[in-house]
């Protein structure tokens, strides 16, 4: 018997023994591996407690989860859109503690205890937020994919006092890209909402 044959026999013997004990041999390392996985899994998961659209939520997330992914995939709020996933388009804009941010650029675990507002949280008692209504009145969208981010960013822009002229709005909304090119109407909608009509 050469070494190769010896190896084959040994392998065959091992497999036979494993089958003979009903998988117990295979189960041994599997159980240990599973314990290790659960341990690692626990360490890599965090419960984020936050007020989301006025509602207290506790959501367990992998520590690497971005805020946009937590909102869309774990919180059941797909209104926030993911365009580029790298901070270049603004589709994922939400308000965190009143400030507009790109939710794709930040980890969910960094916002434990925060107040988060998404597009789903703007309407009150069945009435649209004035900027939502202004977008409708001004026909400020085509495909609508950028619209939630535009509206959340517009709310931030107005609150910051950066909506005093079309030029200023364009400058301070420049991080929100509209591939349909609805910029003129978007600026009109933000300007009208800033003026209170
Ligand atoms: S998806 Fe966040 S900036 Fe584009
Ligand atoms: S309305 Fe289509 S990307 Fe802005």
């Amino acid at each position: 018997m050469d070494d190769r044959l010896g190896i084959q026999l040994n392998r065959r013997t091992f497999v036979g023994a494993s089958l003979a004990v009903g998988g117990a041999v295979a189960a041994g390392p599997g159980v240990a591996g599973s314990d290790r996985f659960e341990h690692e899994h626990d360490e890599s998961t965090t419960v984020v407690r936050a007020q989301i659209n006025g509602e207290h939520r506790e959501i367990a997330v992998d520590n690497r989860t971005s805020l946009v992914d937590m909102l869309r995939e774990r919180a059941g709020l797909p209104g926030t859109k993911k365009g580029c996933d790298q901070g270049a388009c603004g589709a994922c804009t939400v308000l965190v503690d009143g400030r507009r941010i790109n939710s794709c650029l930040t980890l969910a675990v960094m916002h434990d205890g925060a107040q988060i507002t998404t597009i789903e949280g703007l309407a009150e008692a069945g009435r649209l937020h004035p900027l939502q209504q202004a977008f409708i009145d001004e026909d400020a969208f085509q495909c609508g994919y950028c619209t939630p981010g535009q509206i959340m960013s517009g709310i931030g822009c107005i609150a910051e006092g950066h909506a005093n002229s079309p030029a200023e709005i364009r400058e301070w909304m420049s991080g929100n890209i509209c591939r349909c090119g609805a910029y003129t109407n978007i600026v009109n909608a933000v300007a009208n909402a800033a003026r209170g009509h």
Side-chain angles (χ1 to χ4, degrees):
M1 182 194 329
D2 64 18
D3 285 342
R4 254 185 74 206
L5 189 57
I7 290 168
Q8 285 171 339
L9 281 176
N10 288 342
R11 201 180 275 157
R12 197 172 291 159
T13 305
F14 172 77
V15 170
S18 300
L19 292 174
V21 295
V25 172
V31 168
S34 146
D35 284 343
R36 187 167 64 249
F37 171 76
E38 283 174 17
H39 181 61
E40 289 171 357
H41 187 67
D42 285 343
E43 287 183 344
S44 65
T45 301
T46 298
V47 176
V48 176
R49 296 171 180 82
Q51 289 283 122
I52 304 178
N53 297 334
E55 186 182 337
H56 179 75
R57 302 287 301 269
E58 298 190 4
I59 303 170
V61 293
D62 183 288
N63 292 342
R64 298 163 295 181
T65 305
S66 64
L67 181 56
V68 65
D69 284 344
M70 183 186 83
L71 293 169
R72 288 177 53 82
E73 296 169 15
R74 304 303 310 280
L77 297 168
T80 302
K81 298 294 182 272
K82 184 154 77 170
C84 64
D85 207 19
Q86 55 186 7
C89 76
C92 63
T93 306
V94 298
L95 301 180
V96 174
D97 296 328
R99 294 181 56 227
R100 52 178 169 158
I101 65 168
N102 288 333
S103 59
C104 71
L105 284 186
T106 186
L107 295 173
V109 296
M110 296 168 66
H111 302 289
D112 193 43
Q115 301 230 17
I116 300 167
T117 306
T118 71
I119 191 75
E120 291 95 336
L122 295 184
E124 286 183 6
R127 289 193 58 202
L128 294 177
H129 184 283
L131 188 53
Q132 289 176 305
Q133 188 61 54
F135 265 66
I136 294 171
D137 295 343
E138 292 296 329
D139 202 14
F141 50 87
Q142 291 180 37
C143 78
Y145 197 81
C146 74
T147 309
Q150 299 281 2
I151 291 175
M152 301 312 294
S153 190
I155 290 171
C157 181
I158 293 169
E160 295 157 15
H162 292 138
N164 298 304
S165 69
E168 194 178 28
I169 293 169
R170 284 182 184 277
E171 172 68 20
W172 289 89
M173 294 280 293
S174 61
N176 289 81
I177 306 302
C178 176
R179 288 166 181 79
C180 297
Y183 293 112
T184 301
N185 296 11
I186 290 170
V187 170
N188 288 343
V190 174
N192 288 350
R195 284 196 297 266
H197 56 76

